[in-house]
Amino acid sequence: MSAMDWPFTLERRALADSIQQMCSDADALTLMRDAGIPWIGIDEAFGGSGGNLADAATAIRSIALQAHNAPIAETTVAGSALAQCGMQVPSAILAPAFAAESTLVINNPLGNPTLTGTIQEVPGADCAEFVVVPVDTWLCLVDTADVTLAMHDNLAHEHRSSVIFTETPVRALAKLPNNLAHLDLYAQLAFARAVQLSGALIAIRELSIEFAQTREQFGQPISRLQVISHYLAELAELALVGEGAIATALEVPTTLNFAIAKSVTSRAARESSRIAHQIHGAMGMSQEYALGQFTTRMWSWIEDAGRPEFWNATIGRTFLNQPHPDLWLSITDGIEGERT
Amino acid sequence: MAELDQLRTRVRGFLAQEIATGGFSPHCDPWLIGFDRAFSLRLGAAGLLGLMLPAHYGGGGGSAADRLVVSEELLAAGAPVTAHWFAERQFAPSILRHGTCEQKDEWLPRVIRGEVCISVGLSEPDAGSDLAAVRTKAERADGGWFISGTKIWTSGAHLADAIVVLARTGGQKHEGLSQFIVRLPNNDVSIRGINMISGVRHFNEVHFESTFVPDADVLGEIGQGWKQAMEELAYERVGPERYLSTLPLLQELILGLGKNPESSAALGEVLADIRTFRTINQRVIEHLDSGNTAAIDIPLLKTIGTNFEQSTVLTALALANDPLRTSAITAKAKELLSEAQYQAPSFTIRGGTNEVLRGIVSKGLLR
Ligand SMILES: Cc1cc2nc3c(=O)[nH]c(=O)nc-3n(C[C@H](O)[C@H](O)[C@H](O)COP(=O)(O)OP(=O)(O)OC[C@H]3O[C@@H](n4cnc5c(N)ncnc54)[C@H](O)[C@@H]3O)c2cc1C
């Protein structure tokens, strides 16, 4: 439909279609596991399903388009972190316990290491077999059976947990490579959320177009009212912006572009959810109707893995801390030390 | 890619030389208010104009991607490009597509040398958003046409070599419109200046009274003026103008901002948005070049871009007034800031208002 159809090679389209089918099945998670979906984008040498970041983004976006809760993005991000550290990725559902900065303590890293501390807002930990957690200069794999979870629902009834480590044994660990700090991992999780947000932006554009053409008031479809038609155009703008942000990061996958993607898609989602609800009137507030499935997820994802204000400040400071901060060079050639 | 990088380096070299020799002083919105014929000529002499025009006429024989690189660098530097901008951006492609051999031979080499300044004669006192309501008429005469009517808001008509006039040659609404190249200055064309809110003279009211235009100066086909004008507008609606018009200002404001100002998040936000819009813009231009643009991509791009363009002025104000600045803003920054504030309202008006563009988009969405 638009010039920004970033993911869509024929193969990716087929992948998107098959995921859409799986999502309508009662046991979607099993189907997706059996098809290797959670490990797309991870090299086969490390136990992944192969494919690149755009393939993984296609899968994650397709699930978001169906507003499905399967913790696939979480597994992809956590598994990819393991692979980046040269570790083997288990064929299991994984939870990324990532944060902007490290707060956990690792004891005895070179002997029988254990972890102590708490990480909050960990997605999908309740149904994960392992938790992947960066600590100090290490990346650790921990059995979920060895931690305590304090679970709550986010606005979309997705599960989030505080993961409490109390001298929790580490099952496997590796050194974080030099170019992979805690913030870099956090940005990778943020990018997964950005991809989900870009999917939701498209979904609510389509829902709203459909609704505005069907709902009649004053003897005509509300889409004929100029205000409503302009709202629809705005939703299309915001969806295109979201796609542009993802395309930027897929072209040059750096921490900075992941941060940018999260900032841009989150801000677009704030606008978009407001406008879409206005178009829908009371219908949008009903749990029986689809809109809320998307907007409640958006509101949660916007706050997840760094809200836009956090990433904007991070980007701004990174820019200003260059010896000669040049805006145009930083846009075309990258910020000094911009990491892939 | 490597070739585009080389080209970018070449333009940067040219600009560095210009700046070192005091060749220009940067402006905001430099394609509208940076008029400097000498600069355009130097750009032409450096072989940086008409990169997407055929080599036969002295052009670069390249693609829209080449022109995009040059445009980006010029705008980012705030270089005064107004004198040749309309000629190179929309007039030359239109001549190339619709012009006669003689017109191509006459105009294209001159555009490529940076010699030509063209004005766009679309809007009229009673035809703004409703452009098809143009009343300026062209009547058949011996060997040409007589044009009568009034154009308004015509940027730079008082400085231009010609104005491309959209006039009615018959028919209703979109049918029966045609384009004419009216050479300036011209005894039968009167031009009255209109100052902008900044006090600067920029646009004009242009009056035609039985102004004779020879057949040789008809642009394209009689009756195809609407289609041709819309093609030209497409070139105006895409392009890097939107994400770069205030960049010289933002860069100047970074001086003395310090490492940890209150406005660092605002700055991060601008950087994020520019990178994103730049990607979208590149993709849409590639599609436009290969002739398979989705009809709504162009108006979408313009509304996204101009809203962003306006928001950058607010960002600039936040940077300028940051309480944690390590030093006050420069005199140059003050000048650029007022330039940006004066220009900002027009971003979402000229080239089609955002309301009109959203109308086009929604028509495309609803089927
Ligand atoms: C700096 C500048 C330079 C310009 N340079 C040139 C130039 O060189 N050549 C040239 O030909 N023109 C030029 N223009 C004119 C420009 O193209 C027009 O301003 C533009 O097309 C809008 O027309 P208008 O100003 O008459 O506004 P109007 O059409 O009168 O619109 C007024 C308001 O009504 C709204 N409106 C109108 N119709 C609708 C609708 N159907 N639905 C919803 N809202 C609507 C508009 O969006 C706007 O908000 C320039 C304008 C500016 C500001």
Side-chain angles (χ1 to χ4, degrees), chain A residues 222-283:
Chain A
I222 58 167
S223 63
R224 298 251 175 86
L225 304 168
Q226 192 181 51
V227 187
I228 300 293
S229 72
H230 284 198
Y231 286 161
L232 296 175
E234 275 188 79
L235 293 181
E237 289 166 21
L238 294 162
L240 183 58
V241 165
E243 289 187 84
I246 303 305
T248 306
L250 290 178
E251 210 166 284
V252 185
T254 60
T255 288
L256 199 76
N257 279 339
F258 293 152
I260 285 174
K262 182 61 167 56
S263 159
V264 170
T265 53
S266 299
R267 285 181 284 126
R270 280 182 185 152
E271 266 306 282
S272 178
S273 59
R274 183 183 65 74
I275 295 168
H277 270 292
Q278 193 64 21
I279 291 172
H280 279 84
M283 183 61 87

Side-chain angles (χ1 to χ4, degrees), chain B residues 110-168:
Chain B
R110 293 182 56 208
V111 170
I112 292 161
R113 288 199 296 270
E115 291 171 15
V116 180
C117 176
I118 293 287
S119 266
V120 178
L122 297 173
S123 305
E124 295 183 6
D126 293 322
S129 298
D130 185 10
L131 185 59
V134 294
R135 287 216 295 250
T136 296
K137 58 174 195 266
E139 286 171 316
R140 203 71 181 103
D142 208 15
W145 300 77
F146 282 120
I147 298 191
S148 301
T150 304
K151 294 290 171 184
I152 197 167
W153 316 126
T154 323
S155 300
H158 57 305
L159 302 164
D161 302 304
I163 171 172
V164 177
V165 175
L166 182 69
R168 186 158 299 287

Side-chain angles (χ1 to χ4, degrees), chain B residues 21 47 86 149 165 171 240 246 253 269 287 299 302-303 305 309 314 318 345 350:
Chain B
T21 57
F86 295 90
V165 175
T246 56
L253 287 169
E269 183 171 311
H287 279 236
K302 176 145 189 291
T303 52
E309 200 176 10
L314 299 180
R350 63 197 192 196

Side-chain angles (χ1 to χ4, degrees), chain A residues 302-313:
Chain A
I302 291 166
E303 305 303 321
D304 269 354
R307 60 205 316 267
E309 289 70 20
F310 167 82
W311 288 115
N312 286 343

Side-chain angles (χ1 to χ4, degrees), chain A residues 104-105 206 236 244 257-258 330 340:
Chain A
L104 286 196
V105 179
E206 294 305 309
N257 279 339
F258 293 152
S330 298
T340 308

